[in-house]
């Protein structure tokens, strides 16, 4: 373990940020433990917990009253637990980009006394974990959600694109062929051709009012919606590029909000939405498994 640091004038949060900044690739093989000053008060701890929540969302309890959760895996923070031995009293973990962050207490002096600690460990990118480097984004999306492609309804893409009046991104068609109609984490509902409620082609014909003052497809560079949400989030492409696979993804949380632009493919966006806290979407803060809820069965 690392020695106890001196108190930073910028406070506990800055100490943790410095710990993250210093946990570079050369430290990735082992966790770094920061023993907090003994006089660290409950208000400071509460503030740190609040800040970690804004960075990473909901945490997971890894240990409590010296009992370590036996179900913790590499995907849910085991690297944090491995930094300690029998002195661990309690530990809570957050997933934060390429790091795990743990906050807890360890026993000191062989008695009932405890001391607060922060631990930082490497967190493999969930988009790549356990998969070959050559895996496609659709394959990663299947792995993350535990989805096993089966025999489902098929889409006549030639008829669909004729009815729409434009080609569609290759990855979108692959996602629909693999997953069909349904929802990712109950958060993103996929618009699929010929779906009873979320028909991509039908929704494209009624988008003008929803997207105003932004132009709607088929206007030049008009928006074409590919996803919806019970949280009233809109997911669309900005059309216009000659190759539909180059259309960026646009997202807005409310009809009155500005659109966020993501210059990546649809499959990469969905993978990052589910796993990358820097994207800022709710599912990425879940340390447990993700899922696809099929509506075709």
């Amino acid at each position: 373990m690392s020695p106890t640091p001196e108190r930073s004038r910028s406070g506990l949060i800055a100490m943790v940020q410095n710990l993250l900044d210093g946990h570079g690739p050369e430290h990735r093989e082992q966790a770094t433990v920061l023993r907090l000053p003994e006089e660290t008060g409950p208000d400071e701890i509460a503030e740190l917990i609040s800040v970690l929540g804004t960075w990473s969302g909901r945490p997971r309890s890894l240990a409590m009253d010296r009992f370590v959760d036996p179900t913790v895996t590499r995907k849910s923070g085991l690297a944090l637990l491995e930094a300690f031995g029998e002195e661990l009293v309690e530990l809570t973990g957050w997933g934060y980009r390429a790091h795990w962050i743990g906050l807890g207490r360890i026993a000191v002096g062989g008695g009932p006394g405890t001391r607060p600690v922060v631990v930082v460990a490497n967190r493999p990118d969930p988009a790549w974990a356990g998969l070959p480097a050559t895996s496609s984004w659709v394959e990663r999306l299947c792995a993350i959600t535990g989805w096993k492609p089966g025999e489902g309804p098929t889409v006549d893409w030639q008829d669909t694109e004729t009815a729409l009046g434009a080609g569609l991104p290759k990855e979108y068609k692959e996602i629909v062929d693999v997953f069909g109609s349904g929802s990712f984490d109950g958060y993103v509902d996929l618009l699929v051709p010929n779906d009873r409620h979320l028909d991509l082609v039908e929704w494209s014909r009624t988008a003008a009012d929803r997207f105003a003052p932004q132009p709607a497809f088929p206007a030049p560079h008009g928006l074409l919606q590919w996803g919806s949400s019970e949280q009233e989030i809109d997911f669309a492409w900005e059309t216009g590029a000659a190759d539909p696979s180059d259309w960026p993804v646009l997202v807005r949380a409310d009809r009155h909000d500005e659109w966020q632009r993501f210059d990546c493919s649809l499959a990469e966006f969905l993978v990052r939405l589910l796993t990358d806290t820097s994207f800022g979407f709710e599912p990425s803060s879940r340390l447990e498994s993700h899922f696809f809820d099929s509506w075709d069965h």
Side-chain angles (χ1 to χ4, degrees):
M1 290 187 181
S2 60
T4 302
E6 294 183 359
R7 188 68 159 205
S8 169
R9 290 185 179 181
S10 54
L12 182 57
I13 295 169
M15 293 171 67
V16 174
Q17 184 63 67
N18 290 337
L19 180 63
L20 289 168
D21 293 342
H23 194 74
E26 67 275 16
H27 302 112
R28 294 292 171 82
E29 295 303 317
Q30 60 183 6
T32 302
V33 177
L34 178 71
R35 298 188 181 193
L36 301 182
E38 294 181 0
E39 67 271 20
T40 303
D43 290 344
E44 292 178 284
I45 295 293
E47 182 184 17
L48 177 58
I49 291 172
S50 176
V51 169
L52 291 175
T54 64
W55 290 353
S56 306
R58 294 189 299 272
R60 171 171 177 163
S61 177
L62 306 178
M64 179 64 67
D65 295 331
R66 298 180 181 272
F67 175 77
V68 174
D69 184 348
T71 67
V72 179
T73 66
R74 292 287 173 192
K75 292 184 177 181
S76 55
L78 183 61
L80 295 175
L81 292 170
E82 290 177 338
F84 302 98
E86 296 181 355
E87 77 272 28
L88 183 62
V89 176
E90 63 183 37
L91 189 68
T92 299
W94 288 261
Y96 176 63
R97 300 182 183 176
H99 297 97
W100 291 111
I101 305 175
L103 174 64
R105 304 191 74 85
I106 58 172
V108 293
T114 63
R115 181 172 190 161
V117 293
V118 172
V119 55
V120 171
N122 180 41
R123 181 192 184 210
D125 187 339
W128 294 89
L131 294 173
T134 56
S135 298
S136 71
W137 286 108
V138 175
E139 289 172 330
R140 293 174 215 171
L141 190 58
C142 289
I144 289 166
T145 58
W147 181 251
K148 305 295 183 185
E151 296 281 337
T154 58
V155 174
D156 187 324
W157 291 111
Q158 183 173 349
D159 284 355
T160 295
E161 291 174 328
T162 298
L164 185 65
L168 287 164
K170 179 181 178 181
E171 270 195 351
Y172 165 75
K173 293 187 284 188
E174 186 179 353
I175 290 169
V176 171
D177 287 340
V178 169
F179 288 90
S181 299
S183 177
F184 292 95
D185 273 19
Y187 190 83
V188 181
D189 302 336
L190 195 63
L191 269 63
V192 173
N194 303 319
D195 184 273
R196 287 184 302 168
H197 304 293
L198 296 176
D199 186 325
L200 179 89
V201 177
E202 289 301 318
W203 276 50
S204 73
R205 294 168 178 163
T206 60
D209 291 340
R210 293 199 310 277
F211 294 157
Q214 289 279 92
F217 176 86
H221 300 281
L223 305 190
L224 176 61
Q225 189 159 358
W226 59 262
S228 185
S229 175
E230 289 187 0
Q231 286 78 13
E232 300 184 357
I233 303 171
D234 289 325
F235 301 93
W237 291 292
E238 181 183 72
T239 63
D243 184 348
S245 294
D246 293 332
W247 293 348
V249 171
L250 299 186
V251 183
R252 66 176 179 182
D254 183 86
R255 183 169 294 191
H256 303 291
D257 287 351
E258 296 290 327
W259 289 91
Q260 290 180 270
R261 177 181 172 127
F262 299 88
D263 290 302
C264 61
S265 70
L266 177 58
E268 180 178 354
F269 172 79
L270 288 171
V271 168
R272 295 300 182 190
L273 179 147
L274 296 178
T275 64
D276 190 341
T277 58
S278 67
F279 266 34
F281 294 99
E282 181 182 336
S284 67
S285 67
R286 300 174 188 166
L287 302 187
E288 305 303 330
S289 60
H290 300 279
F291 63 90
F292 180 75
D293 183 15
S294 174
W295 299 335
D296 291 329
H297 303 294

